Amino acid sequence: MSKTESPATSKGSTTIAPTVLATVTRLTALAVPGVARLAPIPGGVNRLFRRGANEGIRLDVTDSSVSVELYLVLLPETSIREVARRVQADVARAIEETVGMRVTRIDVHVEDVDYGTAAS
C-alpha cells in the first residue's frame, strides 16, 4: 500500500491570525445567555503585552492548540456555574469547528455582576 498525499494537504499551509481566534471567542461568549459583557483583564504591566488584553480575552497558542482565559461580567439572577460551563463548552466547540484548532483549556473568570446603575 503506497502513501499518497491528498490534494488538500499538498497545496500549502493556512495561517490563522490571533485576532480571528479572539473574534470567534468573543462573539461566542457574548452569545451565551447570562453574559453581559467582557471585563478588562486585571493585572500589571504584563497585561499590556498579551494578545487580547483589551478585550477580556487572553489567548495562548502552541502549535495547533489554543488555551483561553475569559474575563466576564454576568447578568444578575444567573447561575454563575451554569453560565461558566456553557461558555466553556460553546467557545471550545466554536474554535474547534470554525478554526479547526484543538482547545486545551478554557478558564472563565467572573469579574463582576452587572446590576446596572441605580437612579439617585
Side-chain angles (χ1 to χ4, degrees), residues 15-110:
T15 304
I16 299 168
T19 54
V20 172
L21 291 170
T23 299
V24 169
T25 300
R26 179 178 54 256
L27 294 175
T28 303
L30 291 173
V32 173
V35 176
R37 64 182 179 278
L38 298 176
I41 296 175
V45 175
N46 289 339
R47 74 181 172 90
L48 299 175
F49 301 105
R50 301 292 298 250
R51 290 186 190 131
N54 297 326
E55 302 175 23
I57 301 168
R58 187 175 285 161
L59 300 170
D60 185 26
V61 179
T62 307
D63 298 325
S64 62
S65 63
V66 61
S67 63
V68 180
E69 285 189 65
L70 284 166
Y71 296 82
L72 303 176
V73 176
L74 301 184
L75 295 171
E77 301 180 18
T78 59
S79 168
I80 293 173
R81 180 183 299 178
E82 292 300 316
V83 171
R85 286 182 180 165
R86 173 103 184 257
V87 166
Q88 288 171 319
D90 289 0
V91 168
R93 181 191 45 75
I95 290 173
E96 289 171 355
E97 290 179 1
T98 306
V99 182
M101 295 180 75
R102 187 173 70 89
V103 177
T104 57
R105 182 180 186 109
I106 298 178
D107 295 327
V108 174
H109 304 274
V110 178

